[in-house]
Amino acid sequence: MMTKSDVTTMIRAAKREKGIGWAAIAEEVGLSEVFVTSACLGMNSLLPDAAGKLVDFLGLPAEAAVVLSEYPTKTFAQTVPTDPCIYRWYEITGVFGEAFKELVQEKFGDGIMSAIDFDMQINRVAHEKGDRVEVVMSGKFLPYKSW
Amino acid sequence: MMTKSDVTTMIRAAKREKGIGWAAIAEEVGLSEVFVTSACLGMNSLLPDAAGKLVDFLGLPAEAAVVLSEYPTKTFAQTVPTDPCIYRWYEITGVFGEAFKELVQEKFGDGIMSAIDFDMQINRVAHEKGDRVEVVMSGKFLPYKSW
Amino acid sequence: MMTKSDVTTMIRAAKREKGIGWAAIAEEVGLSEVFVTSACLGMNSLLPDAAGKLVDFLGLPAEAAVVLSEYPTKTFAQTVPTDPCIYRWYEITGVFGEAFKELVQEKFGDGIMSAIDFDMQINRVAHEKGDRVEVVMSGKFLPYKSW
Amino acid sequence: MMTKSDVTTMIRAAKREKGIGWAAIAEEVGLSEVFVTSACLGMNSLLPDAAGKLVDFLGLPAEAAVVLSEYPTKTFAQTVPTDPCIYRWYEITGVFGEAFKELVQEKFGDGIMSAIDFDMQINRVAHEKGDRVEVVMSGKFLPYKSW
Amino acid sequence: MMTKSDVTTMIRAAKREKGIGWAAIAEEVGLSEVFVTSACLGMNSLLPDAAGKLVDFLGLPAEAAVVLSEYPTKTFAQTVPTDPCIYRWYEITGVFGEAFKELVQEKFGDGIMSAIDFDMQINRVAHEKGDRVEVVMSGKFLPYKSW
Amino acid sequence: MMTKSDVTTMIRAAKREKGIGWAAIAEEVGLSEVFVTSACLGMNSLLPDAAGKLVDFLGLPAEAAVVLSEYPTKTFAQTVPTDPCIYRWYEITGVFGEAFKELVQEKFGDGIMSAIDFDMQINRVAHEKGDRVEVVMSGKFLPYKSW
Amino acid sequence: MMTKSDVTTMIRAAKREKGIGWAAIAEEVGLSEVFVTSACLGMNSLLPDAAGKLVDFLGLPAEAAVVLSEYPTKTFAQTVPTDPCIYRWYEITGVFGEAFKELVQEKFGDGIMSAIDFDMQINRVAHEKGDRVEVVMSGKFLPYKSW
Amino acid sequence: MMTKSDVTTMIRAAKREKGIGWAAIAEEVGLSEVFVTSACLGMNSLLPDAAGKLVDFLGLPAEAAVVLSEYPTKTFAQTVPTDPCIYRWYEITGVFGEAFKELVQEKFGDGIMSAIDFDMQINRVAHEKGDRVEVVMSGKFLPYKSW
Amino acid sequence: MMTKSDVTTMIRAAKREKGIGWAAIAEEVGLSEVFVTSACLGMNSLLPDAAGKLVDFLGLPAEAAVVLSEYPTKTFAQTVPTDPCIYRWYEITGVFGEAFKELVQEKFGDGIMSAIDFDMQINRVAHEKGDRVEVVMSGKFLPYKSW
Amino acid sequence: MMTKSDVTTMIRAAKREKGIGWAAIAEEVGLSEVFVTSACLGMNSLLPDAAGKLVDFLGLPAEAAVVLSEYPTKTFAQTVPTDPCIYRWYEITGVFGEAFKELVQEKFGDGIMSAIDFDMQINRVAHEKGDRVEVVMSGKFLPYKSW
């Protein structure tokens, strides 16, 4: 039975062989880079139509589209991520998490930023002292309420 | 000996008593909300001039300004944060961390987004289906290189 | 500076001294038992009006009402809870968590039950073979979507 | 030797191929959705008769019915679950666990809600601001006693 | 506000001063040694009458009886206990836990031994090669059932 | 090279096929149920004669008897066991461990109950309110001494 | 109520003030250095007579002797010790633990070296390339047996 | 590519088949039992000459000698070892580690016992109350110094 | 699909077969020993040209060069490394980490030493009392700044 | 009884008050910056003469010199350090640890770099693209040997 992990391997193999980047895949599928990449890595699902486009574009078997459209179980094996690129984000959570909470509360009242009704863009911003990674996240504010 | 934790408590007490928000403090100090809040929570340091303004504004003892300008040891006690507002960010790190890494590599080559040469804004964005928390992070891209 | 933990101790002391139960407090405050109890334990906040009623009812100092209405940081110190009454719920999460996920997905599509837009009741249900604890939880369904 | 994990894979494959949902399987077997789903995921066992019906309905080999009726070892590998749909329940345990304990004690005396003499329903409840997931759990109260 | 931990310290101090053993306390209270000892250590509660006898016997303040009869939160701070006397029991759980499960299932069907409807005795049994510790535990069998 | 884990699988397969219980195996081998079951699960070793009887009874290859008589490495992978039947024992260790230690010390002096010079029986005891699992453990008292 | 930790602090203070070493204390008490040191650190207990000698020698209050003769709870807070002097022993356990087990089994049959019926000496051995720490441990062999 | 783990399995298989003990292997190789056993378990390396003798004696392929002489990565997977024979040593580290440190410091000054310039013997010592396991460890003292 | 782990195994096999050291490989590739070794172990990537030289030198398939030039995910599985050679570095981090931080701050102001814009040499330095391992690390100082 | 932690606080207070840096303290004491700083933070001990100079220079009580010269217990509370300045070193250990081991083995044979017979310098090196932190560590090579 083909798994999401199998499909991720197929996509990586097709990328290596064809020299295709995530941007091209996202454009073909018609969705944002972040979302399509995360779906290809097994952390989100694609609607059947989008999954079909992706599978056609990369020349994968039809069952791969079924697998890509199944709802994933989001599993992250490392409690503290070790890859430096990902760890830095964990570090930002630790260093700025309480300040983030303080400001969300001040601006919105008690509640949280949703991680479900959520989107994210990653941009390259030119800068004279070295280009910068810009991340823009947007999540719906969900207020606590009493009952 | 007055510690950063003591000063955080003094600031919270002054905020409760005077009914002052973080935005007002940040405006007085002349820096962004996120940075000032994180410095008040002991996760960053203020330059002496900024620390002096803050202490004057809130009516804290002069030693508090010295403490605010000392370099902090950034300690986050919970490996997995439990407060929902902060946990959601940890979850985003887990769910989108690998996609983030893939896209940074595709857009910049191998390397990371710095968490030191870094800034962040938190905005309230009006939306008809419920206002949204917008987070904009910007960090310098640091490339790996061989030697 | 009075903390939420201080107020919880005051409430417990008043309960012990006056022999008042959570139900009576909740009725006085005009909210549900679960919510009021969790606010008294420092895991939720009360609106100022409700906090005032509580403080008056139990004869606590006025500052306690301010503290009860401040936004809490939800901290649970034990990764795996040890008290049997709470552990059983952790066990249910482990044993039925995947089945819960399967059925939410089947009934709603991919997404989650919100723990923020959420309420809960705890009832005693008489039963001939021994009374039963009934827990009714209701959380808004939050769908994942692509972008 | 066929394992429960093998049977779960067979059931998932049959579901994918035939397009059958958990509700249809539960109806065929004559038990509730939650229980049947958890048994198919290897966290509970079916009586031989029910197991036989399930195996017939999905066209699995006869040994699968034997395996489904064997007593499972309930193993949950993640101390803190990472999938958001399951994590939210862990969060509810942390945020409301002590309030739950307080109210069970007040309503019943010292003791716990059984996680063994236990059942659960998951319902979709229509709501104008967005449908809600309703979970109803019922467990026998087990009192502590002295000896 | 007097806590269970305070009362445990008082009881230990009274034991040290008066040279009284747990057996004498248990006899005075009219309950078993294991139960009374565990209540004095804050892991179980005594009915008010029993708590009163204990407090009178050891000459503790009256509030101690109220505290002893309050429902405890059972907290064990060490995931793996380090004291050898307690670790050995943890080791027995690890070494014989699966065998225990197999035999409970064979003798009773699927289910567990309750740790709530439960009692335990600890006896000294004379033996020519060295006396033995005998532990007799009895817990109600709780069957799993389908629904 | 045949391992203890291989032999455990063979024994489970033979049990499933022949419908034999642990009691019958133990009787054939001439040892107690608990010990034989734990040896079959790889947590203890059988003397060659006993291993031979077991292998003959279940129709396993001769090498299985060699493996059953080799000294095992006792490995328990879960620090906190998750199966409810085994967890309850872990809970008993946590809730009653300190009381156990107090009473062993009072009855014997400072020391421990051995987990090596140790035996255990598991019995079904009929009871009008529901049958009970009785566990009788006996371990040699090992005194600490000075040197 | 004086605790073992209090007494350890008193002993350290007396040692610092009087310039007395562990060897002198052990000689006065009439027991080995290792045992007396471990008792002073709260990990073992002294018989009342030995405790009295120690308390007299260091000029501590009489209650300290009572505390030294009470049975300790052996608690080691660090799962992996960080002090290099102690870590090296942890490392030896990891590197040579399996070899130790193999050789104990070969020389004695299945069983363990007791850590209770146990003694240890630590010696300085002169060596031309640098003196060596010699540790001699002796523990009773405890055989596993079937029942 | 043949690994150290493969060679350990070959050695265990040869031992089982030929009925050879570690003592005989060590004698053939001309080194101590502890060292040879640990090398066979992959925790140390043999010089090529010694590795050759071992491989000849047990009839293993020539590549096994190359593997035995390669430098190992010492990996111990369990932070707290669970096998009782090895755990007892972990327990000794916890119970006597601080006393060991105190005495090394008193006898040698500040520093540690090396775990690298290190050797160990394991002996069976006859004793009327039961034979004893004697462990003799010797490690070079390494002093801390200032710079 | 060939992975970095596959390539590491190929390189180790080639090294074993040909008797080539890391120094020779590094010289051939034209980069430092530390960097090339870490790339071969999958922790860094080589530019295509360097990867090609390495693959030619060791006689590996062409796909290996593609794999060596792909960006790695840096995963270290052991939170606390167990191999003594690597653990010592972890120990140095623990023992001298705070002193390092103090001195970096004093010499540079608040900030960190980059682990990305970073290089390292490992040298053998002859010394009459025993040769020494010299490690020279150089990382760009990254200052914190306010915004 | 004055502890090392007390003395560290005294030193930090004196530094804050007098505006003295670590370099000045080290120069006064006549030892390197790294060593003196680590001793002031409680991770190493000073010889009495050096401790006396330090205490005189900062105007601390005489007992502080005694405490500074006592042998420390090196305790690092965070398994994974969270302060970014220290974490980067942990990251270097993870990313380059295996390469370090490979090269030490190639250059010296099997063995380790001592963390005891060890010294370290931290230098500021000017660089046109931003100054660099240079760390030079030197530790005696300790070879494994057979016995």
Side-chain angles (χ1 to χ4, degrees), chain E residues 61-127:
Chain E
E63 192 182 359
V66 177
V67 175
L68 282 167
S69 63
E70 289 180 333
Y71 305 149
T73 296
K74 295 171 166 68
T75 306
F76 27 110
Q78 293 189 302
T79 303
V80 179
T82 60
D83 187 87
C85 190
I86 304 175
Y87 178 81
R88 294 305 180 276
W89 213 339
Y90 176 80
E91 185 175 298
I92 290 167
T93 307
V95 172
F96 291 102
E98 290 184 52
F100 170 71
K101 177 176 160 66
E102 289 285 335
L103 291 170
V104 167
Q105 287 170 349
E106 184 166 304
K107 291 174 188 288
F108 293 83
D110 201 8
I112 69 162
M113 177 181 79
S114 178
I116 307 298
D117 187 339
F118 173 82
D119 57 72
M120 177 165 54
Q121 279 74 41
I122 297 167
N123 306 312
R124 178 171 188 146
V125 177
H127 193 286

Side-chain angles (χ1 to χ4, degrees), chain E residues 25 36 144-145:
Chain E
I25 298 172
V36 172
Y144 287 109
K145 58 188 175 188

Side-chain angles (χ1 to χ4, degrees), chain D residues 39-50:
Chain D
C40 290
L41 296 175
M43 284 294 198
N44 274 294
S45 58
L46 294 177
L47 292 176
D49 183 57

Side-chain angles (χ1 to χ4, degrees), chain J residues 24-36:
Chain J
I25 298 173
E27 191 176 16
E28 186 73 21
V29 172
L31 293 167
S32 73
E33 289 172 336
V34 174
F35 187 79
V36 171

